[in-house]
Amino acid sequence: MERFDQSFTQQEPIPDAGIEAAIAVMRHGRLHRYNTVAEEIAETALLEEEFAAFTGARYCLAVASGGVAMATALRAVQVCPGAPVLTNAFTLAPVPGAIASIGARPVFIETTEDLTIDLGHLEVMARATDARVLMLSHMRGHLADMDRLMALCNSLGIVVIEDCAHTMGASWNGVPSGRHGAIGCYSTQTYKHINAGEGGLLITDDAGIAARSVLLSGSYMLYPRHRAAPPAEVFEAMRLDVPNISGRMDNLRAAILRPQIALLAERAARWLALYRALEDGLSGTLGLRLIPRPAAEAFVPSSFQFTLPGWPAARVRALVARCGARGVELKWFGAPEPVAFTSRYDHWRYAEPQPLPQTDRVLAGLIDMRLPLTFSTDDAALIARIIRAEVLAVGQMLQDALDAAAQGLRLAD
Ligand SMILES: *Cc1c(COP(=O)(O)O)cnc(C)c1O
């Protein structure tokens, strides 16, 4: 019986250029982004400039985490405490957490079979709550129809903030993820597309939002040192009105990240090859549904999802256990209790309880798997063979149990 023996959480090393740049920062000791000498430009300011260029955004701000980027974005568009903020029911804990961190109320929107936000439910809830802001999470890299979504939000006067933690480098109809809404937020945490351990990035074309974000992030009065920020006069109008909520990125992380931006395209190609190898190996498996990917979507799959429609919990649990025993680490979004990074909307008890039957149905059969670049396409093919065999084995067990029960009934006749 085949087994897989590699770690699902082992990322690639930091590229040598990043290691050397980080060592240089440690040798000179000026780790704080505003600690520069003479004409020196901080690594953090350079990262912002380079990431703005990568996405095509006017402005970029580097912060301490993806969660800080999202909370900063919500504050920068001036969401008030108690205000409703629309967001995906299928997302990760830092998203509703960012909404709660500013005292606002997450209002969850249903999930489609294809793991994106349900636009019909979005419209209903937007009208019912009068929410002004959508925190749109491109969860696990699945992009909704962004043309339809933006048309709907524009018609309702809703400001869109994009959570691009899983879509750095992705695009819809050629427009980069993070460039559809007013703000795009990214994470540079270890499990995302570029890795500095922690960190976040925020992009926007709006000068007021950019200046407020810089001030919020804790710029003291040193905002002129930013290179991907609006001119000083934009700050001057507001600098005494915006609180300093320190959440900066440091030069060490920026030094680690800068060389990784250039690697993103090549990484995206390798991720896609792993994803396609899994799809090929799993297609046509009875009882298992692959997620269709629209032609308009260019995605950077650092993880893989499939659903087991209509499976009872015990059968899903059996599959996860049997794959786990063969070294294939699957995560199940239907589990009644949060496990490691995996939690769901009804575990976030600080949010008002909301009935979301469609999301419940999708999550009950949703399986998720990390796809680190330390895997090869042969590894992906092996993982697919194991999952396929176990899906069929668990199905056969069910069939045997049904046959035995039928036999029992006949005997009883
Ligand atoms: C990782 C992640 C974030 C941001 O996470 P941080 O750990 O705060 O950097 C936001 N949204 C989603 C969906 C994520 O997975």
Side-chain angles (χ1 to χ4, degrees):
M1 198 190 278
E2 287 187 303
R3 262 192 66 89
F4 185 65
D5 57 10
Q6 289 186 55
S7 165
F8 278 76
T9 53
Q10 181 58 56
Q11 306 296 354
E12 290 189 302
I14 301 302
D16 285 343
I19 294 174
E20 274 147 34
I23 289 172
V25 169
M26 288 188 284
R27 288 206 198 287
H28 68 53
R30 294 182 295 279
L31 273 71
H32 192 283
R33 67 169 298 162
Y34 300 120
N35 182 198
T36 51
V37 290
E39 300 303 297
E40 183 184 12
I41 303 163
E43 290 281 345
T44 314
L46 291 169
L47 170 69
E48 289 165 345
E49 203 169 41
E50 289 159 5
F51 195 70
F54 171 75
T55 56
R58 287 253 263 285
Y59 309 116
C60 175
L61 172 69
V63 291
S65 71
V68 167
M70 291 186 288
T72 303
L74 290 164
R75 286 194 173 97
V77 299
Q78 294 169 296
V79 175
C80 297
V85 175
L86 307 165
T87 194
N88 307 55
F90 173 47
T91 185
L92 238 55
V95 179
I99 297 169
S101 79
I102 63 154
R105 288 187 294 122
V107 174
F108 296 114
I109 307 301
E110 290 274 29
T111 313
T112 68
E113 295 281 318
D114 298 342
L115 310 184
T116 57
I117 196 162
D118 185 305
L119 298 184
H121 193 234
L122 175 62
E123 178 165 7
V124 169
M125 294 309 283
R127 291 189 194 282
T129 60
D130 269 332
R132 277 189 52 240
V133 174
L134 166 64
M135 172 62 79
L136 173 65
S137 185
H138 303 302
M139 179 61 171
R140 291 296 186 254
H142 297 271
L143 292 172
D145 181 331
M146 291 304 294
D147 301 323
R148 276 185 61 209
L149 183 142
M150 288 310 302
L152 174 64
C153 289
N154 289 338
S155 76
L156 294 168
I158 290 177
V159 176
V160 177
I161 301 171
E162 294 180 67
D163 163 23
C164 305
H166 303 157
T167 56
M168 187 182 285
S171 60
W172 180 269
N173 266 336
V175 177
S177 178
R179 301 284 296 135
H180 297 266
I183 307 179
C185 300
Y186 302 79
S187 170
T188 63
Q189 192 235 72
T190 291
Y191 300 112
K192 313 299 162 106
H193 296 101
I194 55 177
N195 172 14
E198 298 286 357
L201 292 157
L202 179 159
I203 58 165
T204 184
D205 279 351
D206 183 296
I209 289 174
R212 264 195 301 282
S213 299
V214 169
L215 293 167
L216 284 162
S217 76
S219 60
Y220 302 101
M221 290 299 155
L222 298 167
Y223 48 80
R225 306 250 189 108
H226 286 246
R227 298 167 65 88
E233 54 270 23
V234 183
F235 289 88
E236 271 146 31
M238 62 172 76
R239 62 182 199 156
L240 303 181
D241 300 310
V242 179
N244 175 325
I245 305 174
S246 289
R248 293 171 300 272
M249 184 184 282
D250 58 276
N251 287 331
L252 193 53
R253 287 199 170 78
I256 292 170
L257 290 170
R258 285 182 58 213
Q260 295 184 55
I261 295 176
L263 300 178
L264 263 165
E266 175 265 346
R267 285 183 183 177
R270 282 195 288 145
W271 260 311
L272 195 60
L274 296 181
Y275 189 94
R276 295 299 185 204
L278 276 163
E279 268 188 339
D280 288 349
L282 289 173
S283 72
T285 306
L286 196 66
L288 180 153
R289 179 179 179 270
L290 295 172
I291 311 296
R293 308 299 303 236
E297 182 195 33
F299 57 106
V300 184
S302 56
S303 65
F304 188 88
Q305 293 73 40
F306 58 84
T307 58
L308 303 165
W311 283 38
R315 189 169 162 201
V316 178
R317 239 184 244 111
L319 176 69
V320 171
R322 291 176 64 108
C323 288
R326 294 179 67 178
V328 173
E329 211 177 286
L330 301 180
K331 295 190 257 177
W332 177 39
F333 272 94
E337 291 298 325
V339 180
F341 286 92
T342 310
S343 64
R344 37 182 266 170
Y345 76 91
D346 52 348
H347 298 150
W348 306 322
R349 278 199 294 196
Y350 52 84
E352 273 163 57
Q354 241 183 283
L356 293 160
Q358 184 178 309
T359 298
D360 290 343
R361 209 161 45 243
V362 172
L363 297 187
L366 177 57
I367 300 291
D368 175 45
M369 186 172 42
R370 283 191 207 281
L371 227 43
L373 285 177
T374 45
F375 291 178
S376 67
T377 49
D378 286 346
D379 293 331
L382 168 57
I383 291 167
R385 283 198 299 280
I386 291 173
I387 295 172
R388 186 187 186 93
E390 293 303 333
V391 166
L392 299 177
V394 172
Q396 190 56 51
M397 278 162 51
L398 186 73
Q399 193 54 53
D400 292 348
L402 288 173
D403 290 348
Q407 176 87 12
L409 283 177
R410 272 198 297 279
L411 288 176
D413 274 350

PDB file of all heavy atoms in Angstrom, residues 265-280:
ATOM      1  N   ALA A 265       5.885  34.678 -10.213  1.00  0.00           N
ATOM      2  CA  ALA A 265       5.358  34.115 -11.462  1.00  0.00           C
ATOM      3  C   ALA A 265       5.795  32.657 -11.602  1.00  0.00           C
ATOM      4  O   ALA A 265       4.995  31.781 -11.945  1.00  0.00           O
ATOM      5  CB  ALA A 265       5.838  34.941 -12.647  1.00  0.00           C
ATOM      6  N   GLU A 266       7.063  32.406 -11.293  1.00  0.00           N
ATOM      7  CA  GLU A 266       7.584  31.036 -11.410  1.00  0.00           C
ATOM      8  C   GLU A 266       6.928  30.140 -10.347  1.00  0.00           C
ATOM      9  O   GLU A 266       6.577  28.981 -10.609  1.00  0.00           O
ATOM     10  CB  GLU A 266       9.114  31.108 -11.267  1.00  0.00           C
ATOM     11  CG  GLU A 266       9.842  29.790 -11.244  1.00  0.00           C
ATOM     12  CD  GLU A 266      10.110  29.292  -9.832  1.00  0.00           C
ATOM     13  OE1 GLU A 266       9.977  30.092  -8.863  1.00  0.00           O
ATOM     14  OE2 GLU A 266      10.407  28.097  -9.696  1.00  0.00           O
ATOM     15  N   ARG A 267       6.706  30.672  -9.151  1.00  0.00           N
ATOM     16  CA  ARG A 267       6.021  29.897  -8.105  1.00  0.00           C
ATOM     17  C   ARG A 267       4.595  29.569  -8.530  1.00  0.00           C
ATOM     18  O   ARG A 267       4.106  28.465  -8.322  1.00  0.00           O
ATOM     19  CB  ARG A 267       5.988  30.677  -6.792  1.00  0.00           C
ATOM     20  CG  ARG A 267       7.320  30.704  -6.085  1.00  0.00           C
ATOM     21  CD  ARG A 267       7.207  31.424  -4.744  1.00  0.00           C
ATOM     22  NE  ARG A 267       8.521  31.501  -4.116  1.00  0.00           N
ATOM     23  CZ  ARG A 267       8.770  32.121  -2.978  1.00  0.00           C
ATOM     24  NH1 ARG A 267       7.786  32.732  -2.330  1.00  0.00           N
ATOM     25  NH2 ARG A 267       9.978  32.142  -2.477  1.00  0.00           N
ATOM     26  N   ALA A 268       3.922  30.557  -9.120  1.00  0.00           N
ATOM     27  CA  ALA A 268       2.530  30.357  -9.543  1.00  0.00           C
ATOM     28  C   ALA A 268       2.451  29.208 -10.546  1.00  0.00           C
ATOM     29  O   ALA A 268       1.551  28.367 -10.483  1.00  0.00           O
ATOM     30  CB  ALA A 268       1.981  31.643 -10.158  1.00  0.00           C
ATOM     31  N   ALA A 269       3.419  29.140 -11.462  1.00  0.00           N
ATOM     32  CA  ALA A 269       3.421  28.076 -12.476  1.00  0.00           C
ATOM     33  C   ALA A 269       3.609  26.712 -11.805  1.00  0.00           C
ATOM     34  O   ALA A 269       2.957  25.731 -12.162  1.00  0.00           O
ATOM     35  CB  ALA A 269       4.528  28.334 -13.494  1.00  0.00           C
ATOM     36  N   ARG A 270       4.499  26.649 -10.812  1.00  0.00           N
ATOM     37  CA  ARG A 270       4.715  25.359 -10.128  1.00  0.00           C
ATOM     38  C   ARG A 270       3.486  24.957  -9.315  1.00  0.00           C
ATOM     39  O   ARG A 270       3.114  23.797  -9.266  1.00  0.00           O
ATOM     40  CB  ARG A 270       5.957  25.444  -9.234  1.00  0.00           C
ATOM     41  CG  ARG A 270       7.252  25.327 -10.044  1.00  0.00           C
ATOM     42  CD  ARG A 270       8.433  25.047  -9.158  1.00  0.00           C
ATOM     43  NE  ARG A 270       8.794  26.218  -8.375  1.00  0.00           N
ATOM     44  CZ  ARG A 270       9.253  26.187  -7.136  1.00  0.00           C
ATOM     45  NH1 ARG A 270       9.372  25.039  -6.499  1.00  0.00           N
ATOM     46  NH2 ARG A 270       9.583  27.305  -6.514  1.00  0.00           N
ATOM     47  N   TRP A 271       2.843  25.945  -8.654  1.00  0.00           N
ATOM     48  CA  TRP A 271       1.628  25.635  -7.888  1.00  0.00           C
ATOM     49  C   TRP A 271       0.545  25.087  -8.807  1.00  0.00           C
ATOM     50  O   TRP A 271      -0.137  24.125  -8.479  1.00  0.00           O
ATOM     51  CB  TRP A 271       1.130  26.870  -7.148  1.00  0.00           C
ATOM     52  CG  TRP A 271       1.509  26.894  -5.701  1.00  0.00           C
ATOM     53  CD1 TRP A 271       1.349  25.885  -4.788  1.00  0.00           C
ATOM     54  CD2 TRP A 271       2.110  27.986  -4.981  1.00  0.00           C
ATOM     55  NE1 TRP A 271       1.809  26.281  -3.555  1.00  0.00           N
ATOM     56  CE2 TRP A 271       2.274  27.559  -3.645  1.00  0.00           C
ATOM     57  CE3 TRP A 271       2.506  29.278  -5.336  1.00  0.00           C
ATOM     58  CZ2 TRP A 271       2.822  28.385  -2.653  1.00  0.00           C
ATOM     59  CZ3 TRP A 271       3.045  30.087  -4.356  1.00  0.00           C
ATOM     60  CH2 TRP A 271       3.208  29.643  -3.028  1.00  0.00           C
ATOM     61  N   LEU A 272       0.423  25.727  -9.977  1.00  0.00           N
ATOM     62  CA  LEU A 272      -0.611  25.302 -10.912  1.00  0.00           C
ATOM     63  C   LEU A 272      -0.341  23.871 -11.392  1.00  0.00           C
ATOM     64  O   LEU A 272      -1.275  23.065 -11.535  1.00  0.00           O
ATOM     65  CB  LEU A 272      -0.666  26.275 -12.097  1.00  0.00           C
ATOM     66  CG  LEU A 272      -1.915  26.154 -12.952  1.00  0.00           C
ATOM     67  CD1 LEU A 272      -3.184  26.429 -12.149  1.00  0.00           C
ATOM     68  CD2 LEU A 272      -1.834  27.122 -14.146  1.00  0.00           C
ATOM     69  N   ALA A 273       0.935  23.546 -11.598  1.00  0.00           N
ATOM     70  CA  ALA A 273       1.277  22.184 -12.050  1.00  0.00           C
ATOM     71  C   ALA A 273       0.891  21.162 -10.967  1.00  0.00           C
ATOM     72  O   ALA A 273       0.361  20.089 -11.287  1.00  0.00           O
ATOM     73  CB  ALA A 273       2.768  22.101 -12.373  1.00  0.00           C
ATOM     74  N   LEU A 274       1.132  21.494  -9.696  1.00  0.00           N
ATOM     75  CA  LEU A 274       0.734  20.583  -8.605  1.00  0.00           C
ATOM     76  C   LEU A 274      -0.778  20.422  -8.580  1.00  0.00           C
ATOM     77  O   LEU A 274      -1.310  19.317  -8.430  1.00  0.00           O
ATOM     78  CB  LEU A 274       1.199  21.130  -7.244  1.00  0.00           C
ATOM     79  CG  LEU A 274       2.709  21.248  -7.002  1.00  0.00           C
ATOM     80  CD1 LEU A 274       2.968  21.785  -5.593  1.00  0.00           C
ATOM     81  CD2 LEU A 274       3.390  19.895  -7.178  1.00  0.00           C
ATOM     82  N   TYR A 275      -1.467  21.536  -8.739  1.00  0.00           N
ATOM     83  CA  TYR A 275      -2.930  21.546  -8.688  1.00  0.00           C
ATOM     84  C   TYR A 275      -3.512  20.686  -9.814  1.00  0.00           C
ATOM     85  O   TYR A 275      -4.407  19.865  -9.592  1.00  0.00           O
ATOM     86  CB  TYR A 275      -3.411  22.992  -8.807  1.00  0.00           C
ATOM     87  CG  TYR A 275      -4.885  23.195  -8.567  1.00  0.00           C
ATOM     88  CD1 TYR A 275      -5.358  23.536  -7.295  1.00  0.00           C
ATOM     89  CD2 TYR A 275      -5.797  23.072  -9.600  1.00  0.00           C
ATOM     90  CE1 TYR A 275      -6.708  23.744  -7.074  1.00  0.00           C
ATOM     91  CE2 TYR A 275      -7.148  23.267  -9.383  1.00  0.00           C
ATOM     92  CZ  TYR A 275      -7.601  23.610  -8.116  1.00  0.00           C
ATOM     93  OH  TYR A 275      -8.947  23.808  -7.896  1.00  0.00           O
ATOM     94  N   ARG A 276      -2.968  20.862 -11.019  1.00  0.00           N
ATOM     95  CA  ARG A 276      -3.466  20.097 -12.176  1.00  0.00           C
ATOM     96  C   ARG A 276      -3.159  18.610 -12.008  1.00  0.00           C
ATOM     97  O   ARG A 276      -3.957  17.767 -12.417  1.00  0.00           O
ATOM     98  CB  ARG A 276      -2.856  20.623 -13.482  1.00  0.00           C
ATOM     99  CG  ARG A 276      -3.269  22.050 -13.847  1.00  0.00           C
ATOM    100  CD  ARG A 276      -4.774  22.204 -14.041  1.00  0.00           C
ATOM    101  NE  ARG A 276      -5.122  23.553 -14.500  1.00  0.00           N
ATOM    102  CZ  ARG A 276      -6.316  24.124 -14.325  1.00  0.00           C
ATOM    103  NH1 ARG A 276      -7.288  23.476 -13.688  1.00  0.00           N
ATOM    104  NH2 ARG A 276      -6.557  25.343 -14.758  1.00  0.00           N
ATOM    105  N   ALA A 277      -2.023  18.277 -11.398  1.00  0.00           N
ATOM    106  CA  ALA A 277      -1.699  16.855 -11.178  1.00  0.00           C
ATOM    107  C   ALA A 277      -2.708  16.233 -10.223  1.00  0.00           C
ATOM    108  O   ALA A 277      -3.136  15.086 -10.403  1.00  0.00           O
ATOM    109  CB  ALA A 277      -0.272  16.723 -10.627  1.00  0.00           C
ATOM    110  N   LEU A 278      -3.111  16.986  -9.205  1.00  0.00           N
ATOM    111  CA  LEU A 278      -4.131  16.481  -8.274  1.00  0.00           C
ATOM    112  C   LEU A 278      -5.474  16.337  -8.983  1.00  0.00           C
ATOM    113  O   LEU A 278      -6.159  15.324  -8.829  1.00  0.00           O
ATOM    114  CB  LEU A 278      -4.270  17.434  -7.083  1.00  0.00           C
ATOM    115  CG  LEU A 278      -3.257  17.204  -5.969  1.00  0.00           C
ATOM    116  CD1 LEU A 278      -3.192  18.410  -5.058  1.00  0.00           C
ATOM    117  CD2 LEU A 278      -3.620  15.951  -5.164  1.00  0.00           C
ATOM    118  N   GLU A 279      -5.840  17.364  -9.750  1.00  0.00           N
ATOM    119  CA  GLU A 279      -7.106  17.308 -10.494  1.00  0.00           C
ATOM    120  C   GLU A 279      -7.137  16.089 -11.416  1.00  0.00           C
ATOM    121  O   GLU A 279      -8.122  15.350 -11.435  1.00  0.00           O
ATOM    122  CB  GLU A 279      -7.264  18.562 -11.358  1.00  0.00           C
ATOM    123  CG  GLU A 279      -8.007  19.678 -10.699  1.00  0.00           C
ATOM    124  CD  GLU A 279      -8.281  20.810 -11.698  1.00  0.00           C
ATOM    125  OE1 GLU A 279      -7.576  20.911 -12.736  1.00  0.00           O
ATOM    126  OE2 GLU A 279      -9.184  21.601 -11.437  1.00  0.00           O
ATOM    127  N   ASP A 280      -6.035  15.894 -12.153  1.00  0.00           N
ATOM    128  CA  ASP A 280      -5.979  14.757 -13.089  1.00  0.00           C
ATOM    129  C   ASP A 280      -6.154  13.445 -12.339  1.00  0.00           C
ATOM    130  O   ASP A 280      -6.858  12.549 -12.785  1.00  0.00           O
ATOM    131  CB  ASP A 280      -4.627  14.738 -13.826  1.00  0.00           C
ATOM    132  CG  ASP A 280      -4.525  15.859 -14.843  1.00  0.00           C
ATOM    133  OD1 ASP A 280      -5.558  16.500 -15.115  1.00  0.00           O
ATOM    134  OD2 ASP A 280      -3.411  16.102 -15.346  1.00  0.00           O
TER     135      ASP A 280
END
